[in-house]
Amino acid sequence: MYRAVIFDMDGVIVDSEAAYLKRRLDFFNRLGEIPEHTQLQDFVGLSNEAVWQQLVSDAKKRERLKRKYDQYQNENPIQYQKYLMPHVIDFLEEIHAQKKKVALASASNPEHITLMLSQCQLSKYFDVVISGENVKRNKPFPDIYLKASEQLAVLPAECLVIEDSFNGILAAKRAKMDVWALKPKNYTIDQKSANCIFQNFFEMKAHLIDWQKVSD
C-alpha cells in the first residue's frame, strides 16, 4: 500500500514548461542571440543547468548569458496560478483524506518552487519540499526521490510518484518507486516506463479511489 505520494512540479502541478520556454526565447531575442535548441521537448524534465547546456553549448558564453537571464527572469516572473493543472487540488484533497504523506520533488530551483507554492496557495498540502539543486545529483538520478522518502519517513516501495517527463519517470524508477504519469497536452514525450498514464487529475483521482478500495 502507498503511504506517501511524491509530486513533480513543472508539467504536473503547473503546466509551466511552455511559459519557461517563451521567457527564455524572449530573452534571447532581446539580446539578438540564437539559442541552439527551441523545441519544448528538448527541455522537459531537465534541471536548470541541463536546460542551459541545451541552449548554449559554449561554456563561457553560457555563463555570461545565464547571469543576465537571472535578472531578466526576476523582472519577468511566471504567474504560476495561471498554469495550475485542472483538478490537482481535488487530487491533493483526496490524498489527504486518505491520510497519506505528501512531498514535492522538483528539478526546478528553490526560488521557482517557493513562488509556485505561494502563488497557487499549495504549501499546506506538502509535508516535504525538495529542489533538485538540494541533492548531489538531479533527475534522472534517484537522489531527489530517495531524499523525499527519507524525509517522509517511509520506504521507497511505499511511495507513489506523479511525474510527466522521461527523466523524472526514470529517476523514480531508479528509486524503486511506482510512477503514475500525467500525459502532456501540447507535446509528446516518452512515458512508457510509467506504471500508469493518465489524461488528467480527474481520471487519476478516480483511479486512486478505486485502488484504495481494493487495497482496503
Side-chain angles (χ1 to χ4, degrees):
M1 177 183 291
Y2 302 131
R3 294 180 56 210
V5 181
I6 309 175
F7 288 78
D8 177 41
M9 185 177 95
D10 298 305
V12 174
I13 293 177
V14 283
D15 191 13
S16 50
E17 298 284 8
Y20 290 145
L21 179 59
K22 182 180 184 304
R23 183 169 63 180
R24 293 181 195 116
L25 295 183
D26 287 347
F27 167 75
F28 274 77
N29 185 56
R30 283 196 179 194
L31 295 182
E33 297 282 356
I34 300 175
E36 294 172 26
H37 291 270
T38 59
Q39 298 301 308
L40 189 54
Q41 290 91 331
D42 296 332
F43 302 99
V44 173
L46 298 184
S47 66
N48 186 55
E49 185 60 35
V51 164
W52 275 94
Q53 289 172 0
Q54 288 283 82
L55 290 167
V56 184
S57 58
D58 181 83
K60 289 184 178 179
K61 181 179 180 180
R62 182 167 65 244
E63 289 306 312
R64 174 173 59 83
L65 290 176
K66 278 176 65 178
R67 286 193 294 271
K68 292 183 178 180
Y69 184 71
D70 286 343
Q71 179 179 350
Y72 182 81
Q73 70 175 356
N74 289 337
E75 294 169 352
N76 297 273
I78 299 294
Q79 300 300 314
Y80 285 103
Q81 64 271 30
K82 296 180 181 179
Y83 304 102
L84 187 66
M85 287 290 192
H87 307 293
V88 67
I89 292 179
D90 289 341
F91 187 72
L92 285 163
E93 291 282 1
E94 177 61 32
I95 292 169
H96 276 265
Q98 294 186 15
K99 302 188 183 305
K100 301 184 189 301
K101 298 180 179 180
V102 188
L104 178 60
S106 170
S108 190
N109 67 47
E111 292 78 13
H112 289 171
I113 296 171
T114 299
L115 183 61
M116 185 282 294
L117 290 172
S118 174
Q119 288 184 354
C120 298
Q121 300 180 25
L122 296 179
S123 297
K124 64 181 181 181
Y125 291 106
F126 295 96
D127 303 299
V128 168
V129 176
I130 305 173
S131 164
E133 295 188 3
N134 300 138
V135 293
K136 184 176 181 180
R137 302 175 300 176
N138 212 326
K139 301 175 187 179
F141 294 98
D143 303 34
I144 192 169
Y145 285 120
L146 293 174
K147 184 171 183 178
S149 171
E150 179 182 356
Q151 292 192 3
L152 290 170
V154 296
L155 297 173
E158 297 174 318
C159 296
L160 170 65
V161 173
I162 312 299
E163 263 287 358
D164 69 313
S165 71
F166 175 82
N167 279 348
I169 294 169
L170 181 57
K173 284 294 182 178
R174 286 173 169 173
K176 308 300 182 184
M177 298 177 181
D178 283 353
V179 187
W180 291 1
L182 190 65
K183 187 174 182 179
K185 292 181 174 59
N186 302 315
Y187 50 92
T188 302
I189 49 179
D190 181 1
Q191 298 180 318
K192 64 178 180 290
S193 296
N195 297 82
C196 300
I197 300 174
F198 297 92
Q199 299 292 327
N200 50 55
F201 276 106
F202 182 80
E203 184 179 292
M204 195 181 291
K205 178 185 173 183
H207 188 79
L208 181 67
I209 292 171
D210 290 343
W211 182 89
Q212 186 66 29
K213 288 178 180 176
V214 172
S215 298
D216 292 343

